[in-house]
Amino acid sequence: MSSLTNEDFDKLRRAYSVVLDQISHKLDQLQQDKLRFYCSGLIPTEDRGSLNILRSLEHSDKISWANVNFLKEALRAIGRCDLAKLLETFEVRRDLTLLLDFYARERLEEDPVYVPLSLKTTARHLLTIVTENEHESCRFDGTRMRTLVEANKNILQVFEEEVDVRSGVNSPWSKLTMLVIIAGESIVAAQASRSDDIRRNEMLEKCFSFVEMLSYRMLELGSWDDFCDYVEERCIEVWGQREGCNRSNADVADVVRQLRESPFFL
């Protein structure tokens, strides 16, 4: 299993650094003292200033862009739950980015990157929703998606309106799940005809372009864990159920209807 290159990671690291900078500017002196006390034994006693404290936590491997749990706990402990929420927002965007990247690589039969098991499990549940039906007429049509992606620069916004207004899907979590799948399939469609070098350089960029809207919807509904739990529970609930579906036409409404026929969304 391959790993993301340093270049691929740069944007995630920068987003993480921006959040740390925001946090450092929002802690007053008393809160900085409380944070330093909470971190006693983990950072040098002479550290002063919130940014230095955060850097020391990084140097001691207590926090990183891949794991901010310790800092979330520390901020809650000193009464800054609002700043812990900033980290939760970053986590959702990070995990959605990695999820879409993993999903697309699996669909393109490329070497997947290393991701946490829970994220990999969720991605493979989403892949199952798309590929589970044994009937040829019900399988997701990548050719139609490629045509739509080539014709629409803002493809996810086009699909968002279709899913919200006309799809017939009622559950907000199911709507989000459908949009995540559509985002993944849009990335696959956009990359399928590109060279390997271009794919490597553009895959994460394409993921980032979808993440803001999806993360906003997810945070309105709950958390990343809530999303993963919903997808898993719903897949378990419908496992083994197979129903026929109608052949789709090559337009936005029919792509959504094609997904809608999956037992997951019934």
Side-chain angles (χ1 to χ4, degrees):
M1 182 173 290
S2 66
S3 60
L4 291 171
T5 66
N6 287 335
E7 183 180 350
D8 292 330
F9 278 137
D10 276 348
K11 199 159 188 176
L12 287 172
R13 288 196 184 101
R14 288 197 299 272
Y16 161 75
S17 296
V18 167
V19 175
L20 290 192
D21 185 63
Q22 291 173 339
I23 290 171
S24 71
H25 283 89
K26 292 178 182 292
L27 293 172
D28 62 28
Q29 187 59 55
L30 178 59
Q31 291 162 351
Q32 292 175 34
D33 292 341
K34 288 181 177 180
L35 181 60
R36 188 168 58 253
F37 180 76
Y38 184 90
C39 299
S40 296
L42 300 174
I43 61 174
T45 56
E46 65 272 15
D47 271 355
R48 292 292 185 272
S50 52
L51 195 55
N52 286 332
I53 295 171
L54 297 177
R55 285 173 176 162
S56 291
L57 288 174
E58 287 186 303
H59 293 156
S60 63
D61 293 327
K62 294 303 294 182
I63 62 172
S64 69
W65 72 268
N67 188 345
V68 295
N69 289 332
F70 179 85
L71 184 54
K72 285 193 300 180
E73 293 170 3
L75 290 170
R76 293 186 185 115
I78 67 171
R80 292 306 304 266
C81 294
D82 58 323
L83 299 183
K85 187 68 175 178
L86 287 178
L87 289 170
E88 290 172 3
T89 300
F90 163 75
E91 286 181 305
V92 167
R93 291 177 177 172
R94 176 201 65 199
D95 290 346
L96 274 169
T97 300
L98 295 175
L99 175 74
L100 292 175
D101 179 72
F102 185 89
Y103 179 101
R105 288 173 187 270
E106 288 277 295
R107 287 284 274 162
L108 292 167
E109 298 183 346
E110 294 186 349
D111 288 340
V113 300
Y114 174 79
V115 295
L117 179 60
S118 60
L119 194 152
K120 183 189 302 184
T121 299
T122 300
R124 287 182 171 158
H125 282 319
L126 299 179
L127 288 163
T128 297
I129 295 168
V130 173
T131 61
E132 68 178 354
N133 207 303
E134 297 174 357
H135 300 292
E136 186 67 31
S137 62
C138 300
R139 291 179 182 168
F140 193 88
D141 192 332
T143 303
R144 291 191 177 99
M145 180 61 83
R146 283 194 292 275
T147 300
L148 289 167
V149 168
E150 290 170 1
N152 296 276
K153 290 185 178 180
N154 298 318
I155 188 65
L156 198 58
Q157 286 81 357
V158 174
F159 274 116
E160 185 178 19
E161 180 179 355
E162 182 67 31
V163 169
D164 283 339
V165 178
R166 293 180 290 274
S167 68
V169 176
N170 294 319
S171 164
W173 283 110
S174 281
K175 289 180 179 180
L176 175 61
T177 303
M178 185 177 283
L179 286 168
V180 171
I181 293 172
I182 289 170
E185 290 297 324
S186 298
I187 294 167
V188 171
Q191 302 302 324
S193 61
R194 305 296 183 91
S195 71
D196 288 341
D197 287 342
I198 295 177
R199 282 186 195 174
R200 180 174 57 79
N201 292 330
E202 292 186 355
M203 185 79 75
L204 260 290
E205 287 297 321
K206 197 71 176 177
C207 292
F208 274 108
S209 71
F210 293 131
V211 161
E212 185 171 355
M213 182 273 282
L214 294 172
S215 63
Y216 177 79
R217 293 179 72 118
M218 186 176 292
L219 289 164
E220 278 197 323
L221 294 175
S223 67
W224 170 260
D225 288 340
D226 292 334
F227 170 69
C228 294
D229 289 345
Y230 175 80
V231 171
E232 182 169 27
E233 290 168 7
R234 184 71 181 126
C235 282
I236 291 172
E237 182 181 349
V238 302
W239 187 258
Q241 297 178 10
R242 296 286 188 270
E243 295 186 16
C245 65
N246 298 321
R247 187 175 297 277
S248 299
N249 297 319
D251 60 31
V252 168
D254 286 327
V255 169
V256 171
R257 280 200 294 273
Q258 192 176 39
L259 276 177
R260 179 71 174 85
E261 294 296 335
S262 166
F264 183 97
F265 297 110
L266 296 178

